Amino acid sequence: VQLQASGGGLVQPGGSLRLSCVASGFASLDYNAIGWFRQAPGKDREKVSCISISSSDARISYADSVKGRFTISRDNAKNTVYLQMNSLKPEDMAVYTCAATYDSQCRVVRRWGQGTLVTVSS
């Protein structure tokens, strides 16, 4: 059971990146949502976005700090969740980690993935 995150890198302010999180080894009912979290040096971990995996209940949420700039989406056939990040700001720089959660609002983490570093700098 693992989550594989990728897509981080160096981008200039105003630029874009797309993160991917591939889940493998889970049984179909082992989790209800995938969330993206981030942690910058010296700061607490922040929940960035969350998407439920139910085909009948596509709940999506965003942190206020990323609303209008980030878009989360899923491809259930590929067990993959994407985080499209546009208009990136220096304050978005952090290690981004995806997690599978028991609940549909990404409050109770079942499994953490490894992080991917996003650097926003000119």
Side-chain angles (χ1 to χ4, degrees):
V1 175
Q2 64 176 357
L3 297 165
Q4 184 73 35
S6 62
L10 173 64
V11 64
Q12 293 185 342
S16 298
L17 282 175
R18 188 177 80 157
L19 306 183
S20 299
C21 177
V22 181
S24 61
F26 288 91
S28 61
L29 299 178
D30 276 354
Y31 63 105
N32 286 291
I34 295 288
W36 282 101
F37 299 78
R38 68 184 181 187
Q39 188 166 23
K43 294 189 176 181
D44 293 334
R45 179 181 287 150
E46 175 188 22
K47 183 173 67 178
V48 176
S49 185
C50 176
I51 185 167
S52 64
I53 64 166
S54 169
S55 59
S56 61
D57 181 20
R59 297 184 184 184
I60 290 176
S61 64
Y62 298 98
D64 288 343
S65 56
V66 307
K67 281 181 181 176
R69 300 187 297 121
F70 290 11
T71 303
I72 194 169
S73 62
R74 70 187 190 202
D75 184 337
N76 284 354
K78 296 181 178 180
N79 294 324
T80 301
V81 170
Y82 304 98
L83 185 68
Q84 177 67 43
M85 306 186 296
N86 298 329
S87 303
L88 283 161
K89 304 175 181 180
E91 52 263 43
D92 294 318
M93 185 163 59
V95 175
Y96 285 70
T97 306
C98 60
T101 65
Y102 287 107
D103 64 305
S104 62
Q105 299 178 45
C106 297
R107 294 174 181 171
V108 184
V109 174
R110 183 187 187 278
R111 174 77 65 176
W112 290 101
Q114 93 291 354
T116 184
L117 177 63
V118 172
T119 303
V120 184
S121 175
S122 55

